């Protein structure tokens, strides 16, 4: 557990004028990041997120207040030792350009005196674990894409198996598609490792996606709200938080509502290579195409098939919801499907059935009723 | 004067023996050069590293570069006239000569060291500290290896200049390859002068070649740009490695939860950021 108690950071004014004021970057922050959970610090640029994070590993010294990790005041520890026990991931990865991926990852274990062979064996494991091809271990950072560099950054931070991780906008410098992959793998990794993580981002979507709890900061380093993502979206404490969490928060809040058991419609399917006659025989304007494992490939417009179904005929817009996913994913699958029927797959990726938006809405309504009841019962 | 005269000078055994022979003059020349570089390194490297590390007193680097404009020969005579009466031995000439050469070698070494340390990515430095490296470890494990290409190009430029300019030692009656120039001029032996110049040029080229080799071995491929070349050639033959290099794009092994057909994923030209070190330390 990381605990901030009345932590304040005041930077000396750039002018150097000693009027006792300076600029307040973090203002009397009291906050707990629970063990094994992801706590996200989110807020507009300049609100003191980085300052807050860097005070934990003493890259920045607080003006007042104490920060403790598992009850130990960080100020009382040897600074190099403290840092070696904390995983640190930063925006542009900050990899050492002169070292191979492998040697980057072994950095902290080597500082701690682990012998080279043990450190390398463990590093290879981690490199694979963060989703990199083991062949990349011999490359240099300049030979990697931004997304790959970030993965190495994460592997490097994990190398000495620190209980605590500090992550400063680790995914914001990569494009949205890669970012989403990195986020998903980060969540998967965390579900296996259970680290105590303090995660900084300016992106509210990332915050609600990754955080077990989210701390919204406002400029001046004041904590505006600390809550679970669902609570944050459903019940912002003030106009600032409401404005910051954004317009379509009603829709986004559905991300946290697990899909209930809904009765899905069986969907007739065709395979790639199916003849035009067979496709038209299905009788609907749009027909779902699946592969040999019954994994959905895409919708095909029956009228567009001249001889047989080919890949180029497949509609590419629809999303696939998972039976164990959220109401948001279900609704999105229905809304994005050209046929109006959202494709739902099982956890193994195989087609289970389809659902229409009109069938999802009652589930959303039912959920609203139950949460209102809960609120009145309290 | 013909090519044959030059060949016969070089093949004359008399020119390869004794005090005035080529081996001895080359040795003297190299001694002056080595001594000069040693002293200049001891002065310039810690200073340049400190300026680069702390970012303070950058004017030192600019100032040293401006000092290159001082005419070397004039300075040598001035210093000799000043030091000469104070010392009663050969040192009266050695000290001024070496001092002037050191002055010449310091600017490229200073700016090479400074620029090298200054070029270290702030993110890498920050990560190094944040991971628990001590100040010394950050310097030796991160800053120095990253600074190496720019430092070595400074060293090469200093070495070339010192070898070329060490000929002036002869003008205050010392040895070295400059003897052939001074003595040749005095006796109007132009063949000897030309041969002396050739020797200086060859020595400079050989020294530069050795340093280039050293650079090739000591600098990590990750920053010398060698790795970028490897990446580029791999990108041209993407079948060796399924993943594209140097661009942010989805990794091929990851699946997307969308009904998206396999878009075209042709090879991408590598966009590795590390090129050859810029030569901003040269004037
Ligand atoms: N080293 C510094 N000196 C002076 N002011 C600083 C320094 N670092 C940050 N600040 C100021 O402190 C505030 C918070 O900065 P920061 O923690 O980096 O914000 P964030 O990470 O949320 O964007 C900003 O107003 C910034 O200008
Ligand atoms: Mg920041």
């Amino acid at each position: 557990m990381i605990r901030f108690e009345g932590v304040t950071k005041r930077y000396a004014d750039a002018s150097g004028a000693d009027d006792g004021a300076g600029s307040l970057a973090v203002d009397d922050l009291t906050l707990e990041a629970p063990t094994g959970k992801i706590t996200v610090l989110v807020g507009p640029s300049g609100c003191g997120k980085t300052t807050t994070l860097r005070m934990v590993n003493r890259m920045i010294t607080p003006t007042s207040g104490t920060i403790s990790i598992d009850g130990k005041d960080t100020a009382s520890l040897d600074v190099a030792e403290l840092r070696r026990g904390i995983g640190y991931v930063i925006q542009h990865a900050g990899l050492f350009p002169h070292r191979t991926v492998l040697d980057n990852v072994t950095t902290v274990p080597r500082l701690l005196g682990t012998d080279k062979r043990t450190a390398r064996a463990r590093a290879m494991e981690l490199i694979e674990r963060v989703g990199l091809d083991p062949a990349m271990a011999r490359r240099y950072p300049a030979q990697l894409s931004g997304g790959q560099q970030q993965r190495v950054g994460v592997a490097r931070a994990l190398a000495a198996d620190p209980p605590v991780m500090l992550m400063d906008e680790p995914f914001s410098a990569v494009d949205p598609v890669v970012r989403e992959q990195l986020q998903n793998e980060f969540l998967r990794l965390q579900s296996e490792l259970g680290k105590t993580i303090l995660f900084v981002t300016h992106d509210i979507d990332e915050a609600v996606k990754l955080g077990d709890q989210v701390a919204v900061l406002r400029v001046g380093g004041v904590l505006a709200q600390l809550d679970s993502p669902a609570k944050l979206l459903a019940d912002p404490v003030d106009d600032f938080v409401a404005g910051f969490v954004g317009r379509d928060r009603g829709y986004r809040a559905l991300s946290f509502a697990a899909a209930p058991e809904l009765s899905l419609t069986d969907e007739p399917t065709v395979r790639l290579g199916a003849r035009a006659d067979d496709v038209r025989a299905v009788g609907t304007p749009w027909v779902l195409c699946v592969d040999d494992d019954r994994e959905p490939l895409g919708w095909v417009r029956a009228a567009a098939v001249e001889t047989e179904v080919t890949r180029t005929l497949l509609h590419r817009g629809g999303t696939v919801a998972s039976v164990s996913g959220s109401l948001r994913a279900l609704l999105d699958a229905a809304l994005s499907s050209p046929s109006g029927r959202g494709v739902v797959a099982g956890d193994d990726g195989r087609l289970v059935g389809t659902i229409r938006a009109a069938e999802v809405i009652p589930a959303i309504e039912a959920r609203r009723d139950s949460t209102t009841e809960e609120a009145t019962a309290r | 004067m013909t090519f044959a005269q030059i060949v016969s000078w070089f093949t004359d055994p008399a020119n390869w023996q004794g005090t005035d022979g080529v081996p001895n003059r080359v040795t003297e020349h190299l001694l002056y050069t080595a001594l000069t570089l040693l002293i200049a390194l001891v002065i310039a490297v810690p200073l340049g590293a400190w300026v680069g590390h702390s970012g303070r007193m950058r004017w030192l680097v600019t100032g040293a570069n401006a000092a290159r404009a001082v005419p070397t020969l004039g300075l040598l005579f001035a210093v000799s006239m000043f030091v000469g009466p104070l010392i009663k031995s050969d040192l009266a000439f050695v000290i001024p000569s070496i001092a002037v050469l050191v002055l010449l070698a310091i600017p490229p070494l200073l700016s090479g060291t400074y620029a090298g340390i200054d070029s270290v990515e702030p993110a890498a430095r920050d990560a190094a500290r944040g991971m628990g490296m001590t100040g010394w470890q950050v310097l030796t494990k991160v800053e120095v290896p990253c600074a190496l290409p720019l430092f070595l190009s400074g060293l090469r430029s200093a070495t070339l200049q010192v070898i070329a300019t060490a000929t002036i030692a002869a003008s205050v009656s010392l040895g070295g390859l400059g003897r052939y120039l001074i003595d040749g001029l005095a006796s109007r032996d132009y063949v000897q002068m030309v041969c002396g110049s050739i020797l200086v040029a060859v020595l400079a080229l050989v020294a530069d070649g050795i340093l280039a080799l050293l650079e090739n071995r000591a600098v990590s491929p990750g920053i010398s740009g060698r790795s970028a070349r490897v990446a580029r050639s791999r990108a041209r033959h993407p079948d060796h490695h399924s993943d594209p290099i140097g661009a942010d794009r989805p990794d091929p092994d990851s699946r997307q939860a969308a009904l998206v057909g396999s878009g075209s994923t042709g090879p991408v030209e590598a966009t590795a950021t590390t090129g050859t070190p810029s030569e901003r330390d040269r004037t």
Side-chain angles (χ1 to χ4, degrees), chain B residues 120-136:
Chain B
V120 180
E121 255 178 82
R125 193 181 275 144
D126 186 65
R129 279 213 309 140
M131 286 160 68
M133 285 194 190
T134 60
W136 179 250

Side-chain angles (χ1 to χ4, degrees), chain A residues 11 23 25 44-51:
Chain A
Y11 286 110
S23 67
S45 175
C47 70
K49 306 179 294 287
T50 297
T51 303

